[in-house]
Amino acid sequence: MKLGCCYYPEHWPEDMWAGDAARMVNIGLSRVRIGEFAWSRIEPQPGQYDWDWLDRAIATLGDAGLEIILGTPTATPPKWLVDSMPDMVAIDADGNPRGFGSRRHYCFSHAGYRKECERIVTAMVQRYGDHPAITAWQTDNEYGCHDTVVSYSDAAAQGFRRWLAENYPDVDALNSAWGNVFWSMEYPDFEAVDPPNLTVTEPNPAHVLDYRRFASDEVVTFNRLQADIIRAHSPDRDIIHNYMGFFTEFDHHKVGQDLNVASWDSYPLGFLEQFFFSDDEKHRYARQGHPDIAAFHHDLYRGCANGRWSVMEQQPGPVNWARYNPAPLPGMVRLWTLEAMAHGAELVSYFRWRQAPFAQEQMHAGLLRPDNVEDIGASEARQAARDITMLGALENDRSEVALLFSYEAAWLLETQPQGQSFRYLELVFAMYSGLRRLGLNVDIVAPEAELDGYAMVVAPTLPIMLSSLIARLGALQVPVLIGPRSGSKTDDFSIPANLAPGELQDLIPLKITRVESLRPGITAKADSGEISRWLEHVETELTAETGLEDGRGILFASGGLRYLAAWPDAALLEDIFGRMAAEAGLSVDKLPQDLRMRRLGDLCFAFNYGTQTVELPETANRDYILGSSRIAPADVAVWKAG
Amino acid sequence: MKLGCCYYPEHWPEDMWAGDAARMVNIGLSRVRIGEFAWSRIEPQPGQYDWDWLDRAIATLGDAGLEIILGTPTATPPKWLVDSMPDMVAIDADGNPRGFGSRRHYCFSHAGYRKECERIVTAMVQRYGDHPAITAWQTDNEYGCHDTVVSYSDAAAQGFRRWLAENYPDVDALNSAWGNVFWSMEYPDFEAVDPPNLTVTEPNPAHVLDYRRFASDEVVTFNRLQADIIRAHSPDRDIIHNYMGFFTEFDHHKVGQDLNVASWDSYPLGFLEQFFFSDDEKHRYARQGHPDIAAFHHDLYRGCANGRWSVMEQQPGPVNWARYNPAPLPGMVRLWTLEAMAHGAELVSYFRWRQAPFAQEQMHAGLLRPDNVEDIGASEARQAARDITMLGALENDRSEVALLFSYEAAWLLETQPQGQSFRYLELVFAMYSGLRRLGLNVDIVAPEAELDGYAMVVAPTLPIMLSSLIARLGALQVPVLIGPRSGSKTDDFSIPANLAPGELQDLIPLKITRVESLRPGITAKADSGEISRWLEHVETELTAETGLEDGRGILFASGGLRYLAAWPDAALLEDIFGRMAAEAGLSVDKLPQDLRMRRLGDLCFAFNYGTQTVELPETANRDYILGSSRIAPADVAVWKAG
Amino acid sequence: MKLGCCYYPEHWPEDMWAGDAARMVNIGLSRVRIGEFAWSRIEPQPGQYDWDWLDRAIATLGDAGLEIILGTPTATPPKWLVDSMPDMVAIDADGNPRGFGSRRHYCFSHAGYRKECERIVTAMVQRYGDHPAITAWQTDNEYGCHDTVVSYSDAAAQGFRRWLAENYPDVDALNSAWGNVFWSMEYPDFEAVDPPNLTVTEPNPAHVLDYRRFASDEVVTFNRLQADIIRAHSPDRDIIHNYMGFFTEFDHHKVGQDLNVASWDSYPLGFLEQFFFSDDEKHRYARQGHPDIAAFHHDLYRGCANGRWSVMEQQPGPVNWARYNPAPLPGMVRLWTLEAMAHGAELVSYFRWRQAPFAQEQMHAGLLRPDNVEDIGASEARQAARDITMLGALENDRSEVALLFSYEAAWLLETQPQGQSFRYLELVFAMYSGLRRLGLNVDIVAPEAELDGYAMVVAPTLPIMLSSLIARLGALQVPVLIGPRSGSKTDDFSIPANLAPGELQDLIPLKITRVESLRPGITAKADSGEISRWLEHVETELTAETGLEDGRGILFASGGLRYLAAWPDAALLEDIFGRMAAEAGLSVDKLPQDLRMRRLGDLCFAFNYGTQTVELPETANRDYILGSSRIAPADVAVWKAG
Ligand SMILES: [Zn+2]
Ligand SMILES: [Zn+2]
Ligand SMILES: [Zn+2]
């Protein structure tokens, strides 16, 4: 695995560049990402390019032996460009423009802006496409950051109408598919359809879901426009985009098809603070991040571009953008780095090289402090570089468990939560975490992914299940868990004619006749665990494998396939996954709360996310390459698999 | 009492209609409401009516013996209509349009839309007005749903100016009545007055109250436009509108004057979740609803149209629109049905016949599941039908207690809460609940209602008290309770010259010299109970009937009239109502927490809203028609009054 | 000290005026503020002045012996004026106009409105400038009330561009100062710069800070426009403005330079409810206000206009505008009045004379009730008047402690809190309160203020520290405390090249290498106290004076200067201030929780903010002028300093 960093030569005096490059190499970095926010320097005035500084920056970095990932600058169009076509910005759901002054001030559907992107990317790729120091390209930056996927602009409205015309034979088909008769919402023609905002009450969920699908597709084609140009002019260079954490606004699997490498931006402390974790978890893991946050995304994005993936931005210290921004526990930067390795990353690139003293992110740490002194992150990166060398090269292999992940499921469940505590990512994360607490290796994959070779398959929830998936699940000979609400909707966002779980009833003979969403505090005992939030009423002749105290069944099995009809807690998941693993012939151990393990190739890694030393469960005859059986807080142990 | 359901023939293949009708009859339903969202099918293109399908639907239902309530479709104008006059939609307080894509996308004040309503209603009534299967008409649907009473459109602004010109002799009178001199808010003429939105800080409360009065009057005249057409062309049919729960945006008493029957849409579980109940209550009654929710509205709407009232939409299972949507406890659908009977309903109509698999309400249960199988609601409706037959016909009679309810009071107190926990509906509900826990029957009536014949009168609060009401109260020979803030305002939203309670001082010699709103947690002991939220300082020579520990009096009596100068808790209300009932010669029992009772005609009903069996307080010699003295959860007992 | 009240002759029948004036004098008031909301009566139609009523009102009041403070009416332009130039209103951050219908409906940057203000103020001052009854002028009313300082109108945008052109040599300098290269935010010219609203994510903090500076300067020049006119035409009259509580949107020190007297509007109960106090404090002090609220503002505004200050509006009973509005404990109006005297006020003026029965503030108490009877406030004012006479005249002298207060610091920390619990006013108040609990007298002063003569200096936080201040601090021979984040920013909102605390490192050799913001619940023990919210990592060779359990230092001293690297609790502050006071030779006592003391001239005052009687700490040989050593709730004791 390689290490790298994100660097902004345009932010620093040119006389610092060579020293920076030398220090990067000295620390053990071999890659550097540059350029992605530099449009105003590359093209200070319309059509007047200034390549000189970038030529010199690339030369300086390349001469130091660094491989360069060059970013296209389309996330930050300059002021003169926005002023030349003010309608290029996105429009929010209230109808307000999302204007210039920060970043991502563009609408994915604006044809004029796409032309400009085509122009600037072509110019860049033509200039640097075969430069020997350029090893890869990053398209744009963090698509969707700051809630920028969905726009309600005129450009988006027009795009949506085109998209509908491509996806429905005629407007009658659309009216029928959406059930527009419901409240006299029938459209006379595609031109009459508007985006689903500014309605009196909730719009038709089918309308919303199609708008989300459309918006996601706009990201896909926006990215493809750049990927095609790069592929044409910069042969043999990887095309990469940097995804974000806990972000589902567009289909990362589809965008990934146009990439060579999926990468993501890993900020465990910020994500812990900003997302769905409990106050207890936010307290316990304030300086480490929840032990499954980074791994979850590693395993998710490994499934997006044929298994190749990287961490493009790695938190190196406190960040600036969460509600509260503590510092990582000493050791965590190294831990996160080695954990990425254990999950098969090609690269961990720290964001950023040196903390900028100005502008929006001036409180975001770098490897170097603003006064150019090495910060804690740099020393941990240096140590990680030595560790990586010692561990040698590792190859990704198939994990034990496949966990099915669907972006469309996220959109659908946001559109129709039915109970406000039913959150897609939270359910997926709970199941992922349940598997990981048993020490299982997980691949998070698209529902379309090949499932052969996995010892277990888990679908936390898939409201829309294609027939082809059901057929493939039916052919598997391994334990499969299907979570609540799976198969509850048709592709048109309707209830299946035979009710949920729809065609899945071919594999397991049960029917969901009624669902309940439950307010916090309403729970029910289920064996050793508890259910809450969501409960389905099941009509079946099967005997329940697990039931509630009132006799109602919530877990049913047919062959190797189980259907879970409620929202489970950790204890219940442990039971279920333990049973499945036993059937699959996998040996599992319940790990201590703060410990996580991963096997890759012939190495076993263990990571201590706690603030207390952890003794590894069993220690006999281990050949430790790093650490020992007693793992200090924020420390790592690695040994040869026995 | 009759049973019925809400049915949407336009949602289903025509070959299902006859079977549906037959099953309705089989279950015991005799009425069916149709048509209220079908405009896009009745008039698919401007001026081109398609009556054929509706003719056949009416014929099919009528042939099965069902009585039809036909809804005017004005709650959902079709897209072509909205596109032909885009300014017909309401404008929200921020100035944004409330556009097409769901329902109720119109401004009550838009003259062009009123013309269109007149046209479509005339066309429908002319076609079906004397059809023998049509037994009643419903105007529009749920006026005000989704916060649609108040609009800030140009049409509304113009309407408001007209309304002001009709209600004030000249603009000087308006300036004086509102006290516009206060912040130089004086208007040179009526044309200069705008709606009270987008002001820098709170607008003049008198301005707001008049805007609320105007907006309510717009609903009245909008409804009257339709009622007049129906009355002219469909003789002897009832005109009905379906009101909502906990909704006070327009004056239901005034709208009721143009109706033959007031109806309402009863969703006890959704209302529990969405309104002011405590977390404990939301937990305890999650699957039953608070025991006073349905009864409160029954007793309220019985007072809106000369005593005739129905439940037009009855929750038959889980709904889709609350934050959390659990399923009713088995038995609750029957319980709610029989409770409506006990309060004197003419009809309970379940919403809806069959759960729709598509569009916004696909997660809203029906009597039938989407797969056309009978759901729990259907079997409970069937049982209820049998019960109703056994119980026979019942006539409404006057209740023991009159509780005075004023929509204007709600507007006024929302406009000027003075303490954010002072909520009109919550105070009224607390007093209603206090009476009901003592087993008293209550009529909730307008302040203008005839009060003779009641054994007790309770006015939870009436900030504006007309002289005529005070005179009528003074003439009563029964215990009367007047709650805090009563008489505290003139009709112009000013403080009376002699302070609160204004002219009421003629009946009870006391003066409110100061009021306090109290943050949660600040309470004071008052005999066996406690006050919180609101405390008035009383200047009087009367000796207090109840006082605080600091000696301050909070309950004063003069003759049979009591004035309560604070926000009471349940224990204090029990004391006060117990004392009043004793004076009135009414015998009361404190009911178990989850039990409610009602007498109607010669029957006594008891309803168990709890999850534990309740033993009736006294059981000797009762002649049970339904149930017994031990009432299971969600069960009902009925016996002949001894 | 004088007493007065706020009076609105235009609200009352002319035949009440003389009686009102006589009663004011009878109660002991000698001043009266009038006129500030009366524009629509002074100029009912464009250009047509009606001075007659105001002439008579001034004559009536003056004839009674009252000194009049005449307000310019520019906070409430009349409807005809707004209709004549609708773009004069402010625009909110969402782009919506903040229209007519309440007050303060103007944008400070609108040139047309400034012209109108110039016209009306000139007309008023020319008419009354040398009237013998006029003793002072109040400009406008409560600048910034209802969040009206910052506007995003076109007028503001143009003003901002002009301001930038005046403050930066050219646009390149601006781009460089702000670090606009960061996200390609570089501007081609000043005309391209927009206000920092409606951006996709947070705008550049330097952009925001300059916008706040600009907006503050607009208030300064708006006020100066009026002050210049008054000064020219009304010789020897004081120019006053009435500031608000806990309000930092504009630089009160700068506005104060154009005033003769700073005044403020003191509503202790409303402020307690609306601001950052804990639930416990809001409960404990619900009817008294936190014991430091009034004193904090007295000591703050005394520092704004050369030491001359007044209370222009004093809460006389319950107010109408807080979430909850309880009544003051009997005695509090007198206590607040005498406390203002103890802090050196020239005037306490009660708001308002008589409670208005109409419009927005009808629930705001006055000295008189709406029925013209004296309310509690009047009787307490009468008692206070007697007390003041007994105590005689007092002169302000320098306090023991200088606490440095910076409006710019507030803007900066709001722009970049870094952790959402880091609130400027809360930190300043905590330090102020810590000093006051030790019985120390405090002057709150601008960073530019002369510091010689103080025994201690405390800077709670000054992110931007000018070299001149550092030089002056270095020259002091007294204990100085510098709080966290001080010196952490340059004037351009960048991190100093040598890191925080920047140039302050010349005085104390330490460097902040990293900062952490901590979520609620994350704390660390520090000697007898605790830190939370904010923790800095300090690089230094100094030995910490106070440290955490993990060995990290948080308090360092060099000479008499201490740097505090965390957010302290009350116990830790007590330690630190106690140590500093000892070094300064000040004797301190830890006061009982609800007691506060102040010395002025040769008098000592003690105020009991609790609901229990307090025994004064030491009582020997005191010569009590008011009260005794046992102070009842809401009571006051005054004695000759020993
Ligand atoms: Zn981002
Ligand atoms: Zn509704
Ligand atoms: Zn104010």
Side-chain angles (χ1 to χ4, degrees), chain A residues 103 142 145-146 244:
Chain A
R103 60 177 174 173
E142 293 184 342
C145 192
H146 319 305
M244 298 189 294

Side-chain angles (χ1 to χ4, degrees), chain C residues 103 141-142 145-146 244 265 361:
Chain C
R103 60 177 174 173
N141 184 74
E142 293 184 343
C145 193
H146 319 305
M244 298 189 295
D265 297 346
E361 293 181 353

Side-chain angles (χ1 to χ4, degrees), chain A residues 37 40-41 79 99 325 327 362, chain C residues 186 192 198 418 489 516-517:
Chain A
F37 296 129
S40 74
R41 288 293 167 96
K79 188 60 159 55
N325 296 292
Q362 58 184 265
Chain C
E186 292 168 301
L198 294 174
Q418 178 64 8
K489 300 292 169 188
E516 303 192 66
S517 51

Side-chain angles (χ1 to χ4, degrees), chain A residues 184 186 192 198 418 489 516-517, chain B residues 40-41 79 99 325 327 362:
Chain A
S184 278
E186 293 169 300
L198 294 175
Q418 179 64 10
K489 299 292 169 186
E516 303 192 66
S517 51
Chain B
S40 73
R41 288 295 167 96
K79 188 59 158 57
N325 297 292
Q362 58 183 266

Side-chain angles (χ1 to χ4, degrees), chain B residues 112-250:
Chain B
Y113 186 58
R114 289 198 175 207
K115 277 270 172 234
E116 287 292 300
C117 292
E118 190 178 341
R119 184 180 59 74
I120 191 74
V121 172
T122 302
M124 271 184 98
V125 178
Q126 285 180 336
R127 187 164 192 97
Y128 300 113
D130 50 14
H131 192 293
I134 304 296
T135 192
W137 293 84
Q138 177 184 296
T139 51
D140 200 280
N141 185 74
E142 293 184 342
Y143 288 135
C145 192
H146 317 305
D147 196 19
T148 50
V149 168
V150 179
S151 165
Y152 299 93
S153 66
D154 286 347
Q158 289 162 22
F160 182 46
R161 290 169 195 137
R162 260 195 313 274
W163 186 95
L164 291 173
E166 287 162 11
N167 283 275
Y168 292 92
D170 54 38
V171 78
D172 291 341
L174 178 150
N175 283 326
S176 168
W178 290 5
N180 280 335
V181 64
F182 190 67
W183 282 341
S184 278
M185 296 176 294
E186 292 168 299
Y187 295 101
D189 48 53
F190 289 122
E191 284 311 299
V193 186
D194 293 314
N197 64 321
L198 294 174
T199 53
V200 172
T201 183
E202 51 167 343
N204 192 324
H207 186 176
V208 177
L209 180 60
D210 268 357
Y211 204 71
R212 300 288 297 267
R213 286 165 167 158
F214 153 73
S216 174
D217 284 353
E218 293 291 271
V219 178
V220 172
T221 57
F222 185 92
N223 180 68
R224 184 176 298 149
L225 177 72
Q226 299 200 10
D228 286 348
I229 296 168
I230 297 167
R231 205 153 268 138
H233 296 287
S234 189
D236 302 326
R237 269 70 174 183
D238 284 333
I239 299 172
I240 313 180
H241 180 74
N242 57 331
Y243 294 148
M244 298 190 294
F246 294 124
F247 186 80
T248 57
E249 296 288 302
F250 64 87

Side-chain angles (χ1 to χ4, degrees), chain A residues 160 163-164 168 178 205-215:
Chain A
F160 183 46
W163 186 95
L164 292 173
Y168 292 92
W178 289 5
H207 186 177
V208 177
L209 181 59
D210 269 357
Y211 203 71
R212 301 287 296 266
R213 287 165 165 157
F214 153 74

